[in-house]
Amino acid sequence: MTTKSKVITWIVAILILALAGFVYFKFCFVYATSDNTGTINYFKKEGFIFKTYEGKMIQSGTQAGMKSYEFKFSVEDENVAQQIRDNANKEMTLITKQYLGVLPWRGDSRYVVDSIVVR
């Protein structure tokens, strides 16, 4: 193997590792976890190829004059989706994982619900 082919092999290997690292941090690395409390505004299963659960939660302000905030989320787990459907008219806390990127089979939101706590 010549020096030129060794250099090209190393450059290709480094580029592949860099691309793999980028994909991991963009789509698989959990950037943050959070708890969001409120009531479900809507919750539905949608999609053309990948059917995913999408929803919005209304988080009301606690001070006078504050507006309510809509929190958009996705759900991967069928059991968690059923819990949300069963308790849709109650106040609940959604425990979410935030990713840096969106994958079509994971949902439309970077916030993916991991579990819920019904109040």
Side-chain angles (χ1 to χ4, degrees):
M1 187 181 273
T2 66
T3 305
K4 186 176 182 180
S5 63
K6 286 182 184 179
V7 169
I8 290 172
T9 302
W10 276 103
I11 289 173
V12 169
I14 290 170
L15 288 175
I16 289 172
L17 286 174
L19 179 64
F22 171 78
V23 168
Y24 172 77
F25 282 108
K26 181 76 174 172
F27 299 109
C28 300
F29 176 72
V30 177
Y31 174 70
T33 57
S34 63
D35 300 348
N36 301 288
T37 302
T39 55
I40 300 298
N41 187 10
Y42 77 83
F43 188 68
K44 61 185 174 181
K45 188 173 186 177
E46 66 181 10
F48 291 108
I49 296 173
F50 300 104
K51 299 290 185 188
T52 59
Y53 292 97
E54 307 297 327
K56 281 189 181 177
M57 170 183 270
I58 302 288
Q59 296 177 301
S60 59
T62 56
Q63 296 176 351
M66 262 181 91
K67 294 183 180 180
S68 61
Y69 172 71
E70 278 191 343
F71 175 70
K72 184 179 176 194
F73 62 90
S74 299
V75 178
E76 285 184 291
D77 188 2
E78 187 78 33
N79 294 328
V80 173
Q82 186 61 44
Q83 286 179 328
I84 291 172
R85 270 193 244 116
D86 292 344
N87 297 293
N89 58 350
K90 299 176 185 171
E91 186 170 299
M92 65 181 78
T93 300
L94 302 178
I95 292 93
T96 62
K97 294 179 181 178
Q98 181 183 356
Y99 295 93
L100 298 175
V102 176
L103 292 171
W105 53 86
R106 195 164 55 198
D108 290 340
S109 174
R110 294 184 304 151
Y111 297 94
V112 178
V113 176
D114 190 43
S115 60
I116 70 165
V117 177
V118 179
R119 304 255 171 198

